[in-house]
Amino acid sequence: MNYSALQTAVQDAVENTFSSSDFATMTKLAEQKIYNAVQLPTLRNTTSLSLVAGNPNLTLPTDFLAVYSLAVIRSSGVYEFLLNKDVNFIRAAYPDPNSIGTPRYYALNGTATPLIQQVLLGPTPDEVLTAQLNYFYYPESIVTAGNTWLGDNFDSVLFNAIMVEAARWMQQEQDIVALYTQQFQESMLLLKNLGDGKNRTDAYRTGQVRVKVG
């Protein structure tokens, strides 16, 4: 379901017409709620970053939300995955910022600006290296994209999530909000079955799903 069809469906269901900006806000709130409740491949992004010799700070992409993995790629092509630690650990392990070598640890280190986050590396890189970051991010909203993976594959989840936001926006009675919330939770179970279930296993290792008969 594309954005236009989604907007029509919600407005028909609640028998109300929302301004473009209000409906866009409700949609983005619904997407944020969904994306933080389930792990999906579409919420993962991968990028290459450059480590600068003598600089212990690594700037992250502007759409970064959380780390899945961070690896240094040696000239031989070998990936060396860094371990996530606290800033205090790295400061204690490498009190001298001039301690150099191939980084083994990283720690989220606040922001360089309100929109740019950094990680602290330990030890400080002793040469220019390429790093691969696999991270959690919000994909482009259906509001601006028109079509998204969520809208195309699980429009029931997005529709029900927006219905909850619409009911709150219209200050509906609590029983109406509760009904829409229940419908949203039921549709979320199907999405979690995919994202947190089927995408986390395969038939080779765990066998196919079986239902007891008789």
Side-chain angles (χ1 to χ4, degrees):
M1 185 183 297
N2 61 33
Y3 182 62
S4 178
L6 186 65
Q7 184 173 9
T8 299
V10 171
Q11 292 183 153
D12 286 349
V14 298
E15 297 181 344
N16 191 27
T17 300
F18 302 102
S19 69
S20 297
S21 61
D22 286 349
F23 190 78
T25 298
M26 288 185 285
T27 301
K28 291 179 180 180
L29 289 174
E31 288 175 325
Q32 188 179 74
K33 182 185 298 182
I34 295 167
Y35 291 153
N36 281 280
V38 62
Q39 298 185 64
L40 298 167
T42 190
L43 303 179
R44 289 175 177 257
N45 201 7
T46 300
T47 189
S48 294
L49 303 171
S50 295
L51 275 61
V52 179
N55 185 357
N57 296 305
L58 177 64
T59 299
L60 300 173
T62 55
D63 59 355
F64 168 87
L65 291 175
V67 179
Y68 282 117
S69 66
L70 177 61
V72 169
I73 307 175
R74 304 304 299 267
S75 58
S76 61
V78 174
Y79 284 66
E80 295 184 2
F81 286 88
L82 280 62
L83 299 178
N84 178 244
K85 295 291 185 178
D86 187 76
V87 171
N88 295 338
F89 173 91
I90 296 179
R91 296 294 190 199
Y94 306 100
D96 182 359
N98 294 317
S99 297
I100 60 175
T102 300
R104 298 176 57 197
Y105 309 103
Y106 74 93
L108 292 175
N109 193 30
T111 58
T113 71
L115 296 178
I116 299 178
Q117 299 186 67
Q118 293 183 328
V119 295
L120 177 67
L121 303 170
T124 298
D126 59 351
E127 60 179 324
V128 175
L129 293 167
T130 297
Q132 185 179 84
L133 175 68
N134 187 245
Y135 64 101
F136 169 54
Y137 83 119
Y138 291 149
E140 184 180 1
S141 172
I142 196 172
V143 174
T144 54
N147 289 84
T148 61
W149 183 93
L150 187 63
D152 291 343
N153 294 277
F154 272 90
D155 52 1
S156 60
V157 177
L158 186 54
F159 171 80
N160 286 321
I162 298 174
M163 288 290 287
V164 174
E165 297 301 328
R168 294 170 55 192
W169 203 275
M170 297 166 60
Q171 298 183 344
Q172 294 275 25
E173 297 295 332
Q174 287 299 313
D175 59 334
I176 299 297
V177 176
L179 174 62
Y180 291 157
T181 300
Q182 180 183 353
Q183 292 173 336
F184 165 63
Q185 292 172 342
E186 289 173 354
S187 59
M188 271 298 298
L189 288 177
L190 298 177
L191 184 57
K192 289 180 72 66
N193 185 49
L194 173 67
D196 298 338
K198 293 177 181 178
N199 283 340
R200 300 293 165 181
T201 185
D202 59 39
Y204 177 75
R205 298 187 64 186
T206 60
Q208 296 183 3
V209 176
R210 296 178 176 86
V211 177
K212 186 175 181 180
V213 179

